[in-house]
Amino acid sequence: MTSVNSTNRTAQARAAGTPLLAARGITKSFGGVHAVDGVDFEVATGEIVGLVGPNGSGKSTLLGCLSRDIAMDTGRVTFDGVDASRLRTMQVARIGIGRTFQSVRIFPELSVVENAWMGRQWKGVGMLGMMQPPDAATRQRAADLIDLMGFSHLTREYAGNLSGGQMRLLELVMAMMCGPRLVMLDEATSGVNPTLIESLKRYVKVLNEQEQVAFVVVEHNIGFIFSIADRIVVLDDGKVLADGTPDEIQHNQEVIVAYLGA
Ligand SMILES: Nc1ncnc2c1ncn2[C@@H]1O[C@H](COP(=O)(O)OP(=O)(O)O)[C@@H](O)[C@H]1O
Ligand SMILES: [Mg+2]
């Protein structure tokens, strides 16, 4: 385990001038709706970025453009120096970007550990590979992640029998199975009880500190974001309204009026 705190690491990565992920001029419209409207967005190595904004402000669409689940209209995404703008979703996973979705996506009729193994498909194992039993390294990785999330007693349980919160944690396990350097979580605390929200926060921090995984966390739970993020980006109507430390965002008058003030 490393003792380097993530804020220092972020500062170092920024000072080095090499963002892990850099997106420029991202736009995506649905009919007449400019869901994402000229967004620049960066994530440094090992950084935890909170992405917040009112409902419909374009957060999920932006994640979709970055992970290539959604074909953007214009813009460019670079990941670790590689142009990822035109990659397919599978290829994005292979270069080190994992994600979860706003709606839970697990396999309810498979066990917890089988779900974890499914996560490796994003590593490019392919359909044929998925029909083979997982290798020892995959089994070990799945067991370690399940153990980290406090799930060992549920390894053989059907995933469909987990609570909503446990399903969210299982999705994080699945996203981690492709060995990502960046994981994007879309509303991971929705439908999760307060105890499991605290657990989720802890696991994100452990993965961030032990494995230098960067996170983009989309959330309505402002308390969660402010306690975990190194930096917060606020979207409003498809545009970046503010980008700063939690302290800066908390005192930003425009953000207070548009979003936090209520
Ligand atoms: N597949 C889609 N088809 C049509 N409109 C969409 C689609 N996805 C998102 N939108 C619209 O784009 C805007 C941004 O949506 P979204 O990215 O889901 O916002 P957020 O995640 O911030 O709530 C909204 O006006 C939404 O209705
Ligand atoms: Mg959304």
Side-chain angles (χ1 to χ4, degrees), residues 30 33 35 53-62 102 186-187 218 220:
F30 296 103
V33 178
N55 252 332
S57 56
K59 305 179 297 293
S60 294
T61 305
L62 178 60
Q102 195 166 334
D186 198 351
E187 303 211 7
V218 170
H220 279 301

Side-chain angles (χ1 to χ4, degrees), residues 43 47-49 172 182-183 185 204 207-208 213-217:
V43 182
E47 188 177 31
I48 302 179
V49 180
L172 177 54
L182 169 68
V183 172
L185 305 176
V204 166
L207 294 169
N208 175 252
V213 180
F215 284 86
V216 175
V217 183

Side-chain angles (χ1 to χ4, degrees), residues 164-166 168-169 187-198 200:
Q166 290 170 329
R168 290 295 188 183
L169 295 179
E187 303 211 7
T189 69
S190 70
V192 179
N193 74 46
T195 309
L196 274 185
I197 289 178
E198 281 307 306
L200 179 64

Side-chain angles (χ1 to χ4, degrees), residues 106-212:
I106 57 164
F107 300 93
E109 275 144 36
L110 296 182
S111 70
V112 164
V113 71
E114 286 165 340
N115 268 271
W117 295 341
M118 291 302 278
R120 83 202 145 117
Q121 70 178 298
W122 301 113
K123 189 144 192 180
V125 173
M127 280 312 287
L128 207 59
M130 291 304 290
M131 291 160 75
Q132 311 293 325
D135 60 24
T138 300
R139 285 170 184 272
Q140 189 60 53
R141 176 69 170 156
D144 288 347
L145 286 167
I146 288 169
D147 191 33
L148 173 70
M149 309 275 162
F151 267 14
S152 296
H153 60 297
L154 296 171
T155 299
R156 300 283 163 196
E157 184 62 76
Y158 285 118
N161 291 339
L162 298 181
S163 72
Q166 290 170 329
M167 288 181 189
R168 290 295 188 183
L169 295 179
L170 178 56
E171 287 183 305
L172 177 54
V173 168
M174 293 168 76
M176 285 302 303
M177 287 297 291
C178 67
R181 298 183 62 205
L182 169 68
V183 172
M184 303 193 285
L185 305 176
D186 198 351
E187 303 211 7
T189 69
S190 70
V192 179
N193 74 46
T195 309
L196 274 185
I197 289 178
E198 281 307 306
S199 304
L200 179 64
K201 193 191 297 181
R202 202 166 59 244
Y203 304 143
V204 166
K205 283 191 167 160
V206 167
L207 294 169
N208 175 252
E209 295 198 350
Q210 287 189 354
E211 304 191 20
Q212 285 73 54

